[in-house]
Amino acid sequence: MSPKLRVGIISANWGAIAHLPAWRSLGNVEVTAMCTSRQESAEAAAKQFGVERAFWDYKAMCDDPDIDIVDVGTSPIQREEMVAYALNAGKHVLNQMPFAASLAGARRLVDLSHAN
């Protein structure tokens, strides 16, 4: 059996409420990290949702070698920079629709995804 894929979710709101149950329904996936913009909220969300690790810097989470997939559950206005960083860090990324705030941003992310 192959090892479980390890997921980090950015967003304790929509990401945790909508995406966390979906990830947990998959047998070969483990959600190992939650990330919010503040330490207090990240630690509280990790505890509330039973997730092992808390991050309050999405770049630190994306750079973590123990995370395979980054689920970016923030608003499209915030999301483009986060998705681009995760892709450049070599992560697989779940980026929901609309996945960018503009057509130009969407094209940049598609191009970056293909390059990585």
Side-chain angles (χ1 to χ4, degrees), residues 12-92:
N13 289 316
W14 185 252
I17 293 165
H19 296 191
L20 183 60
W23 285 116
R24 286 186 168 159
S25 73
L26 303 173
N28 64 335
V29 173
E30 179 181 11
V31 176
T32 61
M34 293 286 297
C35 181
T36 69
S37 61
R38 295 186 333 265
Q39 181 176 356
E40 301 81 24
S41 60
E43 289 173 345
K47 183 177 180 180
Q48 176 184 355
F49 295 108
V51 174
E52 179 182 329
R53 299 168 65 205
F55 286 87
W56 45 97
D57 177 352
Y58 75 89
K59 291 178 179 178
M61 189 178 81
C62 291
D63 289 337
D64 190 311
D66 292 330
I67 294 175
D68 304 304
I69 302 168
V70 175
D71 179 337
V72 185
T74 62
S75 74
I77 294 168
Q78 299 171 304
R79 202 177 305 151
E80 185 178 342
E81 181 181 324
M82 295 173 179
V83 169
Y85 193 91
L87 288 169
N88 282 323
K91 303 300 182 187
H92 298 281

